[in-house]
Every structure is written in C-alpha cells, then in structure tokens.
Amino acid sequence: QSNGEGDRKAAMVKLTYAERIELSKMEDAILSAEATLEQLQQELSAGSNDPAWFATHGAKIAEAETAVKRLYDRWEVLEGKRK
C-alpha cells in the first residue's frame, strides 16, 4: 500500500464541513433535548389521574428519549470520525 493510498483512506474518514458544523452544535442540541425530556418527566410525575393524559405524555416521553439517544449516537459517530 503506497503512502498516497493511505492518505486518501485517512481523508475519507475525516469530517465534512457539514459534519463539523453539526458537531459544533451537538452539545447544545443534546442539552436542549435532555431539558425537554426532563420537563416532560416532571409533568408526568405531577400529572393528573386521567389515563388519556398519561398515554399522551408517555408517548411524548418515549419520543424525547429516542431523540436524546439518537443525538448521543450521532455525536459518538462524529467524534469517532474525528479521531
């Protein structure tokens, strides 16, 4: 394997401009998603006895948890490409 070929492979795993922008905004996005999740969890714990209310908030919490996980997963991918 020539040195030039290895350099091309290394360049392929570097972050694109768009990925660098995404990574620079990732921490704020995660903090915002976590704040949303925390707010929903507090609303649920202080909620009413109405089963429909719990069903609606339970679905919102599941969506918020998925969003947080997705952001952390994407952050891990971007950080891995950066190394």
Side-chain angles (χ1 to χ4, degrees):
Q1 183 174 15
S2 71
N3 197 18
E5 186 178 335
D7 291 342
R8 279 193 299 275
K9 285 184 180 179
M12 287 175 27
V13 295
K14 291 188 181 202
L15 295 175
T16 66
Y17 177 75
E19 288 171 331
R20 288 193 305 267
I21 297 295
E22 180 183 7
L23 184 58
S24 73
K25 297 178 181 181
M26 189 62 67
E27 186 175 354
D28 288 340
I30 289 171
L31 291 173
S32 176
E34 287 178 334
T36 299
L37 176 59
E38 184 176 338
Q39 179 183 354
L40 288 168
Q41 289 171 333
Q42 288 175 358
E43 289 174 10
L44 183 62
S45 66
S48 72
N49 293 326
D50 180 13
W53 189 92
F54 278 109
T56 300
H57 273 70
K60 287 180 182 178
I61 287 174
E63 289 173 13
E65 288 172 339
T66 300
V68 169
K69 182 181 181 335
R70 182 183 48 79
L71 286 167
Y72 272 113
D73 289 347
R74 180 64 178 157
W75 188 22
E76 186 176 332
V77 167
L78 293 174
E79 284 292 336
K81 287 177 79 174
R82 202 168 82 158
K83 293 179 182 177

